[in-house]
Amino acid sequence: DLDVECLAVINDTVGALMSCAHSDRQCAIGIILGTGSNACYIEELKNVEMAEGNEPGPPEMLINTEWGAFGDDGCLDFITTEFDRQVDKHSINAGRQRYEKFISGMYMGEIVRLALEKLRKNGLLFSGEGSYHMATRGRFYTKYVSEIEGDDVDSFKTTKQIFEELEIINVSEQDCRLARHVCSLVSRRAAFLSSAGVACLLQKMKRKDVTVGVDGSLYRFHPFFHDLMMEKIRVLAPGGAGELQTFTVQANFKLMLSHDGSGKGAALVAAVANRIRKEHGEKEDTPL
């Protein structure tokens, strides 16, 4: 018996951006780093070919990049490993969303599992002894990656508990260190590739001060993801320290955790859409 009217349809990237922009007016990029990955940014309306040009409000528009599909044309093949190819082959969308499969939480745990299994089969891990769980696709969860990297390296208590849960017995300290190293390589690559995407958006926007709103379980719970992204964006962003930089404008940026972007962000968009509609309606009803 509810009278519900749909005023706007947004995705989670826009929700993340709007949620952060409510408290930080410099927020102009929204990113999701969770089960999947995507980004949106603010573009000048004159650069949006599909826009009619008579939209109310400032001459800007939020663009949903769908950056997860970057690499579908093969341009990322040079960084694709045998583990990435296996993950892609057994996914529900083989050959698509290649960039997302390097980054997001849906695939990170499986990439680590495949790498650990190869080390084990070559006698370099767990004394060559495996288990049903470690041999099962999708059984090594991405949360394990965060937990192993955040574990105390003096005791590896959490790491050993994880492998006990996976029915790997007699795990040595060297096994724990090697597993942690594999996890760190996969997560670091994900963070650096995400950073490359952010740096491209910063260059495209050419704004001096930009806040990047980020939401998603991977960014929220991984112990080092934020720091890794800050490190790499500083190098790749306009005015950064990268060897190939030719930019003359220094981009000042910060990463801001978005809180409940899907809920708060959607509510803000609906409120703004309702206000604009009312203002537009009042103008139409006003006699000339």
Side-chain angles (χ1 to χ4, degrees):
D1 297 329
L2 295 176
D3 183 14
V4 178
E5 183 178 5
C6 181
L7 295 178
V9 177
I10 68 171
N11 68 5
D12 46 5
T13 63
V14 176
L17 188 154
M18 291 297 295
S19 178
C20 290
H22 185 250
S23 54
D24 187 335
R25 298 297 294 274
Q26 299 297 329
C27 187
I29 298 176
I31 298 177
I32 297 299
L33 293 170
T35 303
S37 183
N38 192 13
C40 71
Y41 73 103
I42 298 177
E43 180 61 90
E44 295 182 26
L45 201 57
K46 65 181 181 181
N47 297 328
V48 184
E49 297 178 359
M50 303 277 300
E52 297 178 358
N54 58 352
E55 287 82 359
E60 295 175 328
M61 181 176 287
L62 286 176
I63 300 297
N64 170 34
T65 67
E66 289 296 340
W67 78 7
F70 178 57
D72 289 3
D73 61 353
C75 66
L76 294 179
D77 287 353
F78 74 102
I79 60 170
T80 302
T81 68
E82 60 181 285
F83 313 120
D84 298 312
R85 285 189 285 271
Q86 289 185 58
V87 167
D88 180 57
K89 177 182 177 180
H90 295 289
S91 67
I92 61 174
N93 55 349
R96 300 171 59 188
Q97 299 297 109
R98 301 295 297 276
Y99 186 60
E100 182 177 65
K101 288 171 181 173
F102 289 130
I103 296 172
S104 70
M106 178 177 286
Y107 309 100
M108 183 179 291
E110 179 63 7
I111 294 173
V112 170
R113 185 191 71 82
L114 291 169
L116 294 178
E117 275 292 273
K118 182 173 183 178
L119 290 171
R120 179 193 65 78
K121 290 175 182 177
N122 284 278
L124 301 173
L125 191 66
F126 309 137
S127 301
E129 297 295 326
S131 73
Y132 168 80
H133 295 291
M134 282 298 293
T136 302
R137 189 179 304 119
R139 183 61 181 84
F140 194 92
Y141 307 130
T142 297
K143 71 172 185 176
Y144 292 161
V145 178
S146 298
E147 291 171 355
I148 289 173
E149 288 196 63
D151 197 10
D152 181 1
V153 295
D154 291 326
S155 65
F156 287 109
K157 179 180 179 181
T158 300
T159 303
K160 292 177 181 178
Q161 289 177 344
I162 289 171
F163 286 120
E164 285 179 9
E165 182 181 332
L166 296 170
E167 297 183 353
I168 298 290
I169 58 176
N170 299 324
V171 179
S172 68
E173 179 180 331
Q174 181 61 26
D175 290 334
C176 293
R177 292 190 182 279
L178 184 52
R180 187 178 192 275
H181 181 61
V182 171
C183 290
S184 67
L185 290 175
V186 175
S187 61
R188 179 180 291 267
R189 183 184 70 160
F192 285 1
L193 286 171
S194 303
S195 303
V198 173
C200 286
L201 292 178
L202 292 173
Q203 168 62 10
K204 177 72 171 65
M205 297 169 69
K206 292 182 172 61
R207 295 191 177 201
K208 186 175 181 180
D209 299 293
V210 178
T211 295
V212 182
V214 191
D215 199 358
S217 55
L218 179 60
Y219 178 84
R220 186 183 299 269
F221 297 119
H222 190 280
F224 309 119
F225 216 86
H226 170 85
D227 295 337
L228 289 169
M229 288 189 67
M230 290 294 294
E231 170 192 336
K232 185 55 67 173
I233 296 174
R234 287 193 185 101
V235 175
L236 298 177
E243 293 182 358
L244 301 179
Q245 293 298 325
T246 58
F247 308 124
T248 57
V249 178
Q250 175 70 48
N252 299 315
F253 72 93
K254 66 178 180 178
L255 302 181
M256 178 180 182
L257 179 63
S258 174
H259 295 283
D260 190 24
S262 298
K264 181 180 176 182
L268 289 167
V269 170
V272 172
N274 187 53
R275 187 200 68 198
I276 292 175
R277 184 181 65 167
K278 287 183 177 180
E279 291 175 351
H280 186 65
E282 290 172 359
K283 290 179 182 179
E284 288 183 339
D285 294 337
T286 301
L288 295 178

